[in-house]
Amino acid sequence: MTVSHPDPKDFTYADVGATRDQGFCPPGFHPMNVRTRLGEGEEVFRRASEAVLTWEMHRSLGVGIDAGADRAAPGVDVTVTLAGMIKAPCRVVWTVEEPRRAGWAYGTLPGHPECGEESFVVDRTGDGTVWLTVNAFSRGAKWYAKAGGPATRGFQHAYARRCGHVLRNLATHGGAEA
């Protein structure tokens, strides 16, 4: 696992890197853990891992991605644009590239509508099944995210489920809708 040592003062929350521990959620934040089965086998794992690490999954979701590098790496700044209007600046805080596990996490920077961290990890279990796990903790930072309350969290869960659906298509069908 590649571990960065970012300066926590750059982020909008204190527990930078904490999504490595799926069970951790800082006080005052809302946890999210969405796991989606992608398929089976080494080829599905390889394709899914590349799609996550190279931003392909996010771009295939239809969100704007402006990244400081072609591949996720600690310290890379990423701005996600939703609906062409909402800009969400983030920074990659950790990555992992192992024979059965690959992914990364980003933390929110000033200007992001939310405050917290989100990880996207592909893993291949002992029986060969390939999974995407989206793990996060967050709370509203901008007024509209705070005002949205449960609806904002519902949107986050729907986004995580959509990540799994899109990644499954990329990994098993080369991106074609199944």
Side-chain angles (χ1 to χ4, degrees), residues 55-140:
W55 324 112
E56 182 182 5
M57 176 187 74
H58 283 82
R59 286 190 173 104
S60 295
L61 285 163
V63 298
I65 293 286
D66 181 15
D70 292 337
R71 190 173 187 83
V76 171
D77 285 344
V78 182
T79 299
V80 178
T81 304
L82 302 170
M85 299 172 28
I86 299 173
K87 298 210 180 278
C90 312
R91 182 169 297 143
V92 177
V93 296
W94 60 262
T95 60
V96 59
E97 288 190 65
E98 298 171 351
R100 291 185 163 268
R101 194 166 173 256
W104 56 275
Y106 63 66
T108 58
L109 297 173
H112 195 293
E114 291 284 315
C115 171
E117 192 169 294
E118 187 167 25
S119 67
F120 305 88
V121 176
V122 176
D123 69 279
R124 186 170 171 222
T125 61
D127 69 356
T129 305
V130 181
W131 298 87
L132 170 68
T133 302
V134 180
N135 185 45
F137 56 84
S138 64
R139 65 179 176 211

Side-chain angles (χ1 to χ4, degrees), residues 44-54 71 101-103 122 167:
V44 169
F45 173 76
R46 187 191 63 73
R47 286 181 186 166
S49 296
E50 279 301 301
V52 167
L53 290 166
T54 61
R71 190 173 187 83
R101 194 166 173 256
V122 176
L167 189 57

